Amino acid sequence: MSAIPTLALRAVSKSFGMTVALADMTLELFPGTVHAIVGENGAGKSTMIKIMTGIYQPSSGQVEIDGAPVVLSGSKAARLRGVAAIYQEPMVFPDLDVTENIFISATDAGLILDRRSMRRRAEALIDRIGMTLDVDREARGLTLAEQQAVEIARALSQDVRVLIMDEPTASLSAHEAAELRRIARSLAASGVAVVYISHRLEEVFEIADRVTVIRDGRHISTRPVAEVTPQGMIADMVGRAVGNYFTKMPSVARDEVILSVRGLTRAGVFEDISFDLHRGEVLCMAGLIGARRTDVALSLFGVHAATAGEVRYKGQVVRMTSPAQAIALGIAYVSEDRRKLGLAMPLPIRSNISLATLAQYLSPLGLIDRRRERDTAMAYRERLNIRAPDVDMAVGVLSGGNQQKVMLAKWLAMKPDLLIVDEPTRGIDVGAKAEVHDLIRAFVRDGGTALVISSDLPEVLALGDRILVMREGRQMGIIDSARATQEGIMAVATGQSEAA
């Protein structure tokens, strides 16, 4: 390992008014290494990334490149120094092809590039990261993993020396995530300093050479990964010991069937889905990206009507044609996309919690009873441990884990019998994951029923009483979680074996 870090932060602090986002942060990134950074939502990781990429300027302290102090006046200045970042949601231009997306920064700079030369370079860059991808293909049809590869190729085209990967696998299947980690290791082997930020702690132990833990904007520890244990890392992250949120709890399922689905089909999307869901049961839906699990959930919630099959809810045949109908029946749906479909980010916490039950707060004149709304929100803030000083705070400024809990509060406030939860812990830290799992478990203990969609196999095994595995719109089988393994679920999801 080189004695001089490619990039370093020296006693860097960043404040926004009275809020201290980073305090005296020190970090060293060396060439040829994968350096994982972990911390809870709100720990300061995003602020750190924005300082390293020139988006924010430090309030105090110094950024160094190759041992010399630098001022990164913006993202372009950072790119010229070889610092680039890719994020959880890839930023590609859907109407441009792969080649054009890779060299978009060059065209932005006004450079005139030869199309044939660009194409050859694009092929060489894609080949360097070990992907098979048609460089003439329009980006609109790319998978998330392929979009991430395009972003990495774009960074490589600019002679990247520090590549920051911020939650790059949060939206990927297990196979796609493994491929992206392989690419990261390959880049490190070529001399790039790779920063890897992930809430999936198992990834950290698989890929990292060094691990830095930050908490409340402060540096807590930096160690070689060989000296780190999962429980020690978690304790550093949250400042306390956290129970293993992957622990399997005893089932509280009862005999009463709440939801019975037979042959549910939506032409061209999914077909022949059949299962029974009992009161007090958690049924998890597992599968790779493209398995169409979310489409099944949306049909059950009335967003997209099924074209065939039968749904019985509490013994009565129902045809779900709208979310309003589903809500009236006592069915709630927690979307995987809290920013676009789950919450109104500019509105305060109290207004978001009352969204699904707004009629309960209306006076005869149609005015909202703000006092009742606020009382309800304060009760759920305490019950769900939503970390916010006041329920009048805008949801958009909360951490991801607290946003997730606000979204759960919104639906729990309607007191549903059936809770459909899509990717309940996507992009949130380990402490918040434990709390969300506890909320789902408490819901079913109190007599509710849950249908949980998750791409996190340890989560599926921990939460589910049974696991329905899907592949490309088809139901591959239902597995009792007592005899399920990650390898077995993956084998069924990829069509390598059948559910026993």
Side-chain angles (χ1 to χ4, degrees), residues 255-301:
D255 292 336
E256 180 187 359
V257 175
I258 294 297
L259 182 71
S260 180
V261 177
R262 292 291 179 270
L264 193 70
T265 297
R266 184 176 162 218
V269 181
F270 60 83
E271 62 178 303
D272 200 24
I273 307 298
S274 299
F275 62 88
D276 287 336
L277 189 50
H278 300 80
R279 185 176 294 280
E281 182 180 21
V282 179
L283 176 67
C284 284
M285 299 181 76
L288 303 178
I289 301 295
R292 301 295 191 174
R293 297 164 296 165
T294 294
D295 293 290
V296 173
L298 290 174
S299 283
L300 292 173
F301 193 59

mmCIF file of all heavy atoms in Angstrom, residues 255-301:
data_model
loop_
_atom_site.group_PDB
_atom_site.id
_atom_site.type_symbol
_atom_site.label_atom_id
_atom_site.label_comp_id
_atom_site.label_asym_id
_atom_site.label_seq_id
_atom_site.Cartn_x
_atom_site.Cartn_y
_atom_site.Cartn_z
ATOM 1 N N ASP A 255 -55.007 -20.006 12.329
ATOM 2 C CA ASP A 255 -55.656 -20.792 11.275
ATOM 3 C C ASP A 255 -56.475 -19.929 10.319
ATOM 4 O O ASP A 255 -56.652 -20.285 9.154
ATOM 5 C CB ASP A 255 -56.566 -21.860 11.898
ATOM 6 C CG ASP A 255 -55.780 -22.949 12.621
ATOM 7 O OD1 ASP A 255 -54.595 -23.139 12.271
ATOM 8 O OD2 ASP A 255 -56.333 -23.567 13.541
ATOM 9 N N GLU A 256 -56.985 -18.799 10.781
ATOM 10 C CA GLU A 256 -57.878 -17.978 9.964
ATOM 11 C C GLU A 256 -57.169 -17.460 8.715
ATOM 12 O O GLU A 256 -56.112 -16.836 8.799
ATOM 13 C CB GLU A 256 -58.385 -16.790 10.788
ATOM 14 C CG GLU A 256 -59.321 -15.864 10.015
ATOM 15 C CD GLU A 256 -59.657 -14.608 10.800
ATOM 16 O OE1 GLU A 256 -59.178 -14.470 11.944
ATOM 17 O OE2 GLU A 256 -60.390 -13.752 10.255
ATOM 18 N N VAL A 257 -57.775 -17.729 7.549
ATOM 19 C CA VAL A 257 -57.214 -17.246 6.288
ATOM 20 C C VAL A 257 -57.746 -15.839 6.019
ATOM 21 O O VAL A 257 -58.950 -15.629 5.918
ATOM 22 C CB VAL A 257 -57.578 -18.184 5.122
ATOM 23 C CG1 VAL A 257 -57.090 -17.599 3.788
ATOM 24 C CG2 VAL A 257 -56.964 -19.564 5.329
ATOM 25 N N ILE A 258 -56.846 -14.867 5.924
ATOM 26 C CA ILE A 258 -57.233 -13.490 5.637
ATOM 27 C C ILE A 258 -57.307 -13.251 4.129
ATOM 28 O O ILE A 258 -58.242 -12.630 3.627
ATOM 29 C CB ILE A 258 -56.235 -12.504 6.284
ATOM 30 C CG1 ILE A 258 -56.314 -12.597 7.806
ATOM 31 C CG2 ILE A 258 -56.518 -11.070 5.821
ATOM 32 C CD1 ILE A 258 -57.657 -12.196 8.390
ATOM 33 N N LEU A 259 -56.315 -13.753 3.408
ATOM 34 C CA LEU A 259 -56.235 -13.527 1.964
ATOM 35 C C LEU A 259 -55.996 -14.858 1.270
ATOM 36 O O LEU A 259 -55.064 -15.594 1.617
ATOM 37 C CB LEU A 259 -55.095 -12.558 1.638
ATOM 38 C CG LEU A 259 -54.911 -12.187 0.160
ATOM 39 C CD1 LEU A 259 -56.059 -11.294 -0.308
ATOM 40 C CD2 LEU A 259 -53.576 -11.481 -0.054
ATOM 41 N N SER A 260 -56.840 -15.160 0.298
ATOM 42 C CA SER A 260 -56.685 -16.380 -0.495
ATOM 43 C C SER A 260 -56.624 -15.993 -1.962
ATOM 44 O O SER A 260 -57.548 -15.347 -2.480
ATOM 45 C CB SER A 260 -57.863 -17.334 -0.246
ATOM 46 O OG SER A 260 -57.707 -18.518 -1.009
ATOM 47 N N VAL A 261 -55.530 -16.350 -2.607
ATOM 48 C CA VAL A 261 -55.296 -15.980 -4.005
ATOM 49 C C VAL A 261 -55.183 -17.261 -4.835
ATOM 50 O O VAL A 261 -54.430 -18.167 -4.482
ATOM 51 C CB VAL A 261 -53.999 -15.142 -4.137
ATOM 52 C CG1 VAL A 261 -53.699 -14.822 -5.604
ATOM 53 C CG2 VAL A 261 -54.115 -13.863 -3.322
ATOM 54 N N ARG A 262 -55.919 -17.309 -5.939
ATOM 55 C CA ARG A 262 -55.899 -18.495 -6.803
ATOM 56 C C ARG A 262 -55.754 -18.076 -8.261
ATOM 57 O O ARG A 262 -56.604 -17.362 -8.804
ATOM 58 C CB ARG A 262 -57.191 -19.315 -6.643
ATOM 59 C CG ARG A 262 -57.350 -19.979 -5.283
ATOM 60 C CD ARG A 262 -56.325 -21.104 -5.077
ATOM 61 N NE ARG A 262 -56.461 -21.737 -3.770
ATOM 62 C CZ ARG A 262 -55.829 -21.339 -2.671
ATOM 63 N NH1 ARG A 262 -55.016 -20.284 -2.742
ATOM 64 N NH2 ARG A 262 -55.989 -21.975 -1.531
ATOM 65 N N GLY A 263 -54.673 -18.505 -8.880
ATOM 66 C CA GLY A 263 -54.468 -18.293 -10.309
ATOM 67 C C GLY A 263 -54.399 -16.840 -10.735
ATOM 68 O O GLY A 263 -54.742 -16.515 -11.884
ATOM 69 N N LEU A 264 -53.949 -15.971 -9.852
ATOM 70 C CA LEU A 264 -53.917 -14.545 -10.169
ATOM 71 C C LEU A 264 -52.980 -14.278 -11.341
ATOM 72 O O LEU A 264 -51.820 -14.694 -11.338
ATOM 73 C CB LEU A 264 -53.483 -13.733 -8.947
ATOM 74 C CG LEU A 264 -53.702 -12.216 -9.043
ATOM 75 C CD1 LEU A 264 -55.204 -11.909 -9.001
ATOM 76 C CD2 LEU A 264 -52.991 -11.493 -7.895
ATOM 77 N N THR A 265 -53.488 -13.566 -12.329
ATOM 78 C CA THR A 265 -52.731 -13.335 -13.568
ATOM 79 C C THR A 265 -52.974 -11.910 -14.047
ATOM 80 O O THR A 265 -54.094 -11.398 -13.969
ATOM 81 C CB THR A 265 -53.178 -14.313 -14.671
ATOM 82 O OG1 THR A 265 -52.885 -15.655 -14.241
ATOM 83 C CG2 THR A 265 -52.469 -14.029 -15.993
ATOM 84 N N ARG A 266 -51.922 -11.293 -14.514
ATOM 85 C CA ARG A 266 -52.026 -10.038 -15.252
ATOM 86 C C ARG A 266 -51.285 -10.260 -16.560
ATOM 87 O O ARG A 266 -50.057 -10.421 -16.565
ATOM 88 C CB ARG A 266 -51.420 -8.875 -14.466
ATOM 89 C CG ARG A 266 -51.603 -7.528 -15.165
ATOM 90 C CD ARG A 266 -51.077 -6.374 -14.328
ATOM 91 N NE ARG A 266 -50.881 -5.201 -15.168
ATOM 92 C CZ ARG A 266 -49.877 -4.343 -15.052
ATOM 93 N NH1 ARG A 266 -48.972 -4.521 -14.093
ATOM 94 N NH2 ARG A 266 -49.753 -3.325 -15.875
ATOM 95 N N ALA A 267 -52.031 -10.329 -17.644
ATOM 96 C CA ALA A 267 -51.501 -10.757 -18.933
ATOM 97 C C ALA A 267 -50.222 -10.017 -19.297
ATOM 98 O O ALA A 267 -50.161 -8.790 -19.247
ATOM 99 C CB ALA A 267 -52.560 -10.553 -20.020
ATOM 100 N N GLY A 268 -49.195 -10.791 -19.630
ATOM 101 C CA GLY A 268 -47.923 -10.228 -20.047
ATOM 102 C C GLY A 268 -47.021 -9.771 -18.914
ATOM 103 O O GLY A 268 -45.896 -9.322 -19.166
ATOM 104 N N VAL A 269 -47.497 -9.894 -17.662
ATOM 105 C CA VAL A 269 -46.706 -9.417 -16.525
ATOM 106 C C VAL A 269 -46.409 -10.559 -15.550
ATOM 107 O O VAL A 269 -45.258 -10.848 -15.248
ATOM 108 C CB VAL A 269 -47.423 -8.259 -15.803
ATOM 109 C CG1 VAL A 269 -46.582 -7.746 -14.624
ATOM 110 C CG2 VAL A 269 -47.716 -7.122 -16.776
ATOM 111 N N PHE A 270 -47.452 -11.198 -15.029
ATOM 112 C CA PHE A 270 -47.273 -12.371 -14.172
ATOM 113 C C PHE A 270 -48.465 -13.293 -14.376
ATOM 114 O O PHE A 270 -49.507 -12.886 -14.904
ATOM 115 C CB PHE A 270 -47.143 -11.979 -12.689
ATOM 116 C CG PHE A 270 -48.331 -11.239 -12.131
ATOM 117 C CD1 PHE A 270 -49.466 -11.911 -11.682
ATOM 118 C CD2 PHE A 270 -48.331 -9.855 -12.055
ATOM 119 C CE1 PHE A 270 -50.568 -11.228 -11.176
ATOM 120 C CE2 PHE A 270 -49.418 -9.161 -11.545
ATOM 121 C CZ PHE A 270 -50.537 -9.849 -11.111
ATOM 122 N N GLU A 271 -48.300 -14.554 -13.966
ATOM 123 C CA GLU A 271 -49.386 -15.500 -14.181
ATOM 124 C C GLU A 271 -49.430 -16.579 -13.105
ATOM 125 O O GLU A 271 -48.414 -16.953 -12.530
ATOM 126 C CB GLU A 271 -49.257 -16.162 -15.552
ATOM 127 C CG GLU A 271 -47.993 -16.980 -15.774
ATOM 128 C CD GLU A 271 -47.975 -17.626 -17.147
ATOM 129 O OE1 GLU A 271 -48.907 -18.374 -17.464
ATOM 130 O OE2 GLU A 271 -47.004 -17.370 -17.893
ATOM 131 N N ASP A 272 -50.647 -17.023 -12.817
ATOM 132 C CA ASP A 272 -50.929 -18.191 -11.983
ATOM 133 C C ASP A 272 -50.281 -18.117 -10.597
ATOM 134 O O ASP A 272 -49.607 -19.036 -10.155
ATOM 135 C CB ASP A 272 -50.481 -19.461 -12.709
ATOM 136 C CG ASP A 272 -51.173 -20.704 -12.145
ATOM 137 O OD1 ASP A 272 -52.262 -20.562 -11.559
ATOM 138 O OD2 ASP A 272 -50.617 -21.818 -12.298
ATOM 139 N N ILE A 273 -50.532 -17.008 -9.902
ATOM 140 C CA ILE A 273 -50.031 -16.848 -8.532
ATOM 141 C C ILE A 273 -51.104 -17.343 -7.567
ATOM 142 O O ILE A 273 -52.254 -16.894 -7.626
ATOM 143 C CB ILE A 273 -49.682 -15.376 -8.223
ATOM 144 C CG1 ILE A 273 -48.740 -14.817 -9.284
ATOM 145 C CG2 ILE A 273 -49.104 -15.255 -6.821
ATOM 146 C CD1 ILE A 273 -47.409 -15.509 -9.389
ATOM 147 N N SER A 274 -50.731 -18.259 -6.671
ATOM 148 C CA SER A 274 -51.704 -18.855 -5.747
ATOM 149 C C SER A 274 -51.084 -19.017 -4.361
ATOM 150 O O SER A 274 -49.977 -19.562 -4.237
ATOM 151 C CB SER A 274 -52.166 -20.232 -6.258
ATOM 152 O OG SER A 274 -52.797 -20.126 -7.516
ATOM 153 N N PHE A 275 -51.791 -18.547 -3.342
ATOM 154 C CA PHE A 275 -51.322 -18.733 -1.964
ATOM 155 C C PHE A 275 -52.438 -18.361 -1.003
ATOM 156 O O PHE A 275 -53.394 -17.665 -1.365
ATOM 157 C CB PHE A 275 -50.072 -17.889 -1.666
ATOM 158 C CG PHE A 275 -50.283 -16.398 -1.795
ATOM 159 C CD1 PHE A 275 -50.729 -15.632 -0.719
ATOM 160 C CD2 PHE A 275 -50.034 -15.754 -3.006
ATOM 161 C CE1 PHE A 275 -50.929 -14.258 -0.838
ATOM 162 C CE2 PHE A 275 -50.214 -14.380 -3.131
ATOM 163 C CZ PHE A 275 -50.666 -13.633 -2.045
ATOM 164 N N ASP A 276 -52.321 -18.830 0.237
ATOM 165 C CA ASP A 276 -53.176 -18.412 1.346
ATOM 166 C C ASP A 276 -52.317 -17.666 2.354
ATOM 167 O O ASP A 276 -51.165 -18.029 2.605
ATOM 168 C CB ASP A 276 -53.819 -19.619 2.031
ATOM 169 C CG ASP A 276 -54.914 -20.250 1.190
ATOM 170 O OD1 ASP A 276 -55.485 -19.540 0.335
ATOM 171 O OD2 ASP A 276 -55.183 -21.454 1.366
ATOM 172 N N LEU A 277 -52.890 -16.627 2.940
ATOM 173 C CA LEU A 277 -52.189 -15.828 3.939
ATOM 174 C C LEU A 277 -53.048 -15.793 5.194
ATOM 175 O O LEU A 277 -54.209 -15.381 5.152
ATOM 176 C CB LEU A 277 -51.952 -14.417 3.386
ATOM 177 C CG LEU A 277 -51.051 -13.456 4.152
ATOM 178 C CD1 LEU A 277 -49.724 -14.100 4.522
ATOM 179 C CD2 LEU A 277 -50.804 -12.217 3.311
ATOM 180 N N HIS A 278 -52.467 -16.242 6.320
ATOM 181 C CA HIS A 278 -53.218 -16.397 7.555
ATOM 182 C C HIS A 278 -53.018 -15.208 8.496
ATOM 183 O O HIS A 278 -52.006 -14.531 8.440
ATOM 184 C CB HIS A 278 -52.788 -17.685 8.267
ATOM 185 C CG HIS A 278 -52.999 -18.929 7.463
ATOM 186 N ND1 HIS A 278 -52.128 -19.327 6.469
ATOM 187 C CD2 HIS A 278 -53.992 -19.856 7.486
ATOM 188 C CE1 HIS A 278 -52.562 -20.448 5.924
ATOM 189 N NE2 HIS A 278 -53.692 -20.789 6.526
ATOM 190 N N ARG A 279 -53.993 -15.010 9.366
ATOM 191 C CA ARG A 279 -53.868 -13.952 10.363
ATOM 192 C C ARG A 279 -52.631 -14.225 11.233
ATOM 193 O O ARG A 279 -52.397 -15.346 11.677
ATOM 194 C CB ARG A 279 -55.122 -13.873 11.232
ATOM 195 C CG ARG A 279 -55.086 -12.695 12.208
ATOM 196 C CD ARG A 279 -56.375 -12.558 13.002
ATOM 197 N NE ARG A 279 -57.524 -12.212 12.180
ATOM 198 C CZ ARG A 279 -57.809 -10.987 11.743
ATOM 199 N NH1 ARG A 279 -56.992 -9.982 12.043
ATOM 200 N NH2 ARG A 279 -58.892 -10.767 11.020
ATOM 201 N N GLY A 280 -51.849 -13.178 11.456
ATOM 202 C CA GLY A 280 -50.649 -13.322 12.271
ATOM 203 C C GLY A 280 -49.440 -13.863 11.517
ATOM 204 O O GLY A 280 -48.372 -14.027 12.101
ATOM 205 N N GLU A 281 -49.600 -14.090 10.210
ATOM 206 C CA GLU A 281 -48.508 -14.669 9.419
ATOM 207 C C GLU A 281 -47.745 -13.574 8.676
ATOM 208 O O GLU A 281 -48.313 -12.551 8.286
ATOM 209 C CB GLU A 281 -49.064 -15.673 8.405
ATOM 210 C CG GLU A 281 -47.973 -16.356 7.572
ATOM 211 C CD GLU A 281 -48.526 -17.351 6.558
ATOM 212 O OE1 GLU A 281 -49.726 -17.243 6.201
ATOM 213 O OE2 GLU A 281 -47.757 -18.222 6.121
ATOM 214 N N VAL A 282 -46.449 -13.814 8.476
ATOM 215 C CA VAL A 282 -45.645 -13.009 7.567
ATOM 216 C C VAL A 282 -45.253 -13.908 6.398
ATOM 217 O O VAL A 282 -44.526 -14.885 6.576
ATOM 218 C CB VAL A 282 -44.379 -12.457 8.241
ATOM 219 C CG1 VAL A 282 -43.557 -11.649 7.232
ATOM 220 C CG2 VAL A 282 -44.728 -11.591 9.440
ATOM 221 N N LEU A 283 -45.771 -13.579 5.217
ATOM 222 C CA LEU A 283 -45.397 -14.288 4.001
ATOM 223 C C LEU A 283 -44.441 -13.386 3.230
ATOM 224 O O LEU A 283 -44.791 -12.256 2.877
ATOM 225 C CB LEU A 283 -46.624 -14.607 3.141
ATOM 226 C CG LEU A 283 -46.333 -15.266 1.776
ATOM 227 C CD1 LEU A 283 -45.757 -16.665 1.960
ATOM 228 C CD2 LEU A 283 -47.606 -15.329 0.927
ATOM 229 N N CYS A 284 -43.221 -13.860 3.003
ATOM 230 C CA CYS A 284 -42.245 -13.080 2.257
ATOM 231 C C CYS A 284 -42.219 -13.523 0.800
ATOM 232 O O CYS A 284 -42.349 -14.721 0.500
ATOM 233 C CB CYS A 284 -40.852 -13.237 2.861
ATOM 234 S SG CYS A 284 -40.593 -12.312 4.385
ATOM 235 N N MET A 285 -42.058 -12.556 -0.097
ATOM 236 C CA MET A 285 -41.907 -12.841 -1.519
ATOM 237 C C MET A 285 -40.464 -12.562 -1.907
ATOM 238 O O MET A 285 -39.979 -11.431 -1.751
ATOM 239 C CB MET A 285 -42.870 -11.999 -2.357
ATOM 240 C CG MET A 285 -44.332 -12.250 -2.055
ATOM 241 S SD MET A 285 -45.457 -11.262 -3.090
ATOM 242 C CE MET A 285 -45.333 -12.163 -4.643
ATOM 243 N N ALA A 286 -39.783 -13.590 -2.414
ATOM 244 C CA ALA A 286 -38.378 -13.463 -2.789
ATOM 245 C C ALA A 286 -38.230 -13.685 -4.289
ATOM 246 O O ALA A 286 -39.101 -14.283 -4.935
ATOM 247 C CB ALA A 286 -37.530 -14.472 -2.013
ATOM 248 N N GLY A 287 -37.119 -13.214 -4.838
ATOM 249 C CA GLY A 287 -36.852 -13.392 -6.262
ATOM 250 C C GLY A 287 -35.862 -12.356 -6.736
ATOM 251 O O GLY A 287 -35.576 -11.372 -6.042
ATOM 252 N N LEU A 288 -35.328 -12.562 -7.922
ATOM 253 C CA LEU A 288 -34.376 -11.630 -8.500
ATOM 254 C C LEU A 288 -35.102 -10.416 -9.062
ATOM 255 O O LEU A 288 -36.327 -10.409 -9.199
ATOM 256 C CB LEU A 288 -33.576 -12.311 -9.611
ATOM 257 C CG LEU A 288 -32.803 -13.574 -9.219
ATOM 258 C CD1 LEU A 288 -32.108 -14.168 -10.430
ATOM 259 C CD2 LEU A 288 -31.798 -13.275 -8.127
ATOM 260 N N ILE A 289 -34.327 -9.372 -9.397
ATOM 261 C CA ILE A 289 -34.903 -8.222 -10.087
ATOM 262 C C ILE A 289 -35.578 -8.710 -11.362
ATOM 263 O O ILE A 289 -35.029 -9.505 -12.114
ATOM 264 C CB ILE A 289 -33.807 -7.195 -10.443
ATOM 265 C CG1 ILE A 289 -33.081 -6.706 -9.181
ATOM 266 C CG2 ILE A 289 -34.396 -6.026 -11.217
ATOM 267 C CD1 ILE A 289 -33.927 -5.923 -8.227
ATOM 268 N N GLY A 290 -36.811 -8.256 -11.597
ATOM 269 C CA GLY A 290 -37.563 -8.704 -12.768
ATOM 270 C C GLY A 290 -38.466 -9.885 -12.491
ATOM 271 O O GLY A 290 -39.126 -10.397 -13.404
ATOM 272 N N ALA A 291 -38.525 -10.314 -11.208
ATOM 273 C CA ALA A 291 -39.397 -11.445 -10.866
ATOM 274 C C ALA A 291 -40.868 -11.056 -10.858
ATOM 275 O O ALA A 291 -41.738 -11.918 -10.853
ATOM 276 C CB ALA A 291 -39.002 -12.016 -9.507
ATOM 277 N N ARG A 292 -41.159 -9.748 -10.830
ATOM 278 C CA ARG A 292 -42.528 -9.205 -10.870
ATOM 279 C C ARG A 292 -43.264 -9.322 -9.543
ATOM 280 O O ARG A 292 -44.504 -9.353 -9.505
ATOM 281 C CB ARG A 292 -43.355 -9.882 -11.975
ATOM 282 C CG ARG A 292 -42.771 -9.731 -13.368
ATOM 283 C CD ARG A 292 -42.771 -8.288 -13.808
ATOM 284 N NE ARG A 292 -42.458 -8.127 -15.229
ATOM 285 C CZ ARG A 292 -42.496 -6.991 -15.887
ATOM 286 N NH1 ARG A 292 -42.831 -5.897 -15.235
ATOM 287 N NH2 ARG A 292 -42.197 -6.916 -17.157
ATOM 288 N N ARG A 293 -42.516 -9.351 -8.453
ATOM 289 C CA ARG A 293 -43.158 -9.417 -7.133
ATOM 290 C C ARG A 293 -43.961 -8.153 -6.843
ATOM 291 O O ARG A 293 -45.091 -8.218 -6.338
ATOM 292 C CB ARG A 293 -42.093 -9.608 -6.053
ATOM 293 C CG ARG A 293 -41.305 -10.900 -6.167
ATOM 294 C CD ARG A 293 -40.025 -10.845 -5.333
ATOM 295 N NE ARG A 293 -39.128 -9.815 -5.855
ATOM 296 C CZ ARG A 293 -38.085 -9.334 -5.176
ATOM 297 N NH1 ARG A 293 -37.831 -9.766 -3.955
ATOM 298 N NH2 ARG A 293 -37.310 -8.404 -5.705
ATOM 299 N N THR A 294 -43.370 -6.982 -7.157
ATOM 300 C CA THR A 294 -44.067 -5.719 -6.911
ATOM 301 C C THR A 294 -45.339 -5.631 -7.732
ATOM 302 O O THR A 294 -46.357 -5.102 -7.265
ATOM 303 C CB THR A 294 -43.136 -4.537 -7.228
ATOM 304 O OG1 THR A 294 -42.047 -4.543 -6.294
ATOM 305 C CG2 THR A 294 -43.870 -3.207 -7.117
ATOM 306 N N ASP A 295 -45.319 -6.164 -8.958
ATOM 307 C CA ASP A 295 -46.519 -6.131 -9.799
ATOM 308 C C ASP A 295 -47.656 -6.924 -9.173
ATOM 309 O O ASP A 295 -48.827 -6.521 -9.262
ATOM 310 C CB ASP A 295 -46.195 -6.674 -11.196
ATOM 311 C CG ASP A 295 -45.252 -5.769 -11.958
ATOM 312 O OD1 ASP A 295 -45.673 -4.678 -12.355
ATOM 313 O OD2 ASP A 295 -44.088 -6.152 -12.137
ATOM 314 N N VAL A 296 -47.338 -8.051 -8.545
ATOM 315 C CA VAL A 296 -48.366 -8.834 -7.844
ATOM 316 C C VAL A 296 -48.942 -8.007 -6.701
ATOM 317 O O VAL A 296 -50.172 -7.934 -6.522
ATOM 318 C CB VAL A 296 -47.776 -10.162 -7.317
ATOM 319 C CG1 VAL A 296 -48.808 -10.892 -6.450
ATOM 320 C CG2 VAL A 296 -47.344 -11.048 -8.475
ATOM 321 N N ALA A 297 -48.075 -7.368 -5.927
ATOM 322 C CA ALA A 297 -48.538 -6.543 -4.804
ATOM 323 C C ALA A 297 -49.421 -5.398 -5.281
ATOM 324 O O ALA A 297 -50.452 -5.087 -4.665
ATOM 325 C CB ALA A 297 -47.335 -6.009 -4.027
ATOM 326 N N LEU A 298 -49.032 -4.756 -6.378
ATOM 327 C CA LEU A 298 -49.823 -3.634 -6.892
ATOM 328 C C LEU A 298 -51.196 -4.093 -7.372
ATOM 329 O O LEU A 298 -52.182 -3.355 -7.253
ATOM 330 C CB LEU A 298 -49.064 -2.940 -8.033
ATOM 331 C CG LEU A 298 -47.806 -2.165 -7.608
ATOM 332 C CD1 LEU A 298 -47.062 -1.639 -8.834
ATOM 333 C CD2 LEU A 298 -48.153 -1.009 -6.678
ATOM 334 N N SER A 299 -51.283 -5.305 -7.904
ATOM 335 C CA SER A 299 -52.598 -5.832 -8.287
ATOM 336 C C SER A 299 -53.450 -6.106 -7.061
ATOM 337 O O SER A 299 -54.656 -5.823 -7.045
ATOM 338 C CB SER A 299 -52.431 -7.115 -9.112
ATOM 339 O OG SER A 299 -52.040 -6.822 -10.428
ATOM 340 N N LEU A 300 -52.844 -6.640 -6.012
ATOM 341 C CA LEU A 300 -53.589 -6.902 -4.786
ATOM 342 C C LEU A 300 -54.059 -5.615 -4.120
ATOM 343 O O LEU A 300 -55.065 -5.604 -3.414
ATOM 344 C CB LEU A 300 -52.730 -7.713 -3.815
ATOM 345 C CG LEU A 300 -52.408 -9.147 -4.234
ATOM 346 C CD1 LEU A 300 -51.401 -9.782 -3.274
ATOM 347 C CD2 LEU A 300 -53.683 -9.995 -4.294
ATOM 348 N N PHE A 301 -53.341 -4.531 -4.383
ATOM 349 C CA PHE A 301 -53.712 -3.227 -3.816
ATOM 350 C C PHE A 301 -54.592 -2.423 -4.768
ATOM 351 O O PHE A 301 -54.994 -1.307 -4.456
ATOM 352 C CB PHE A 301 -52.447 -2.433 -3.475
ATOM 353 C CG PHE A 301 -52.695 -1.224 -2.610
ATOM 354 C CD1 PHE A 301 -53.288 -1.344 -1.357
ATOM 355 C CD2 PHE A 301 -52.318 0.037 -3.041
ATOM 356 C CE1 PHE A 301 -53.509 -0.225 -0.560
ATOM 357 C CE2 PHE A 301 -52.533 1.162 -2.257
ATOM 358 C CZ PHE A 301 -53.132 1.025 -1.002
#
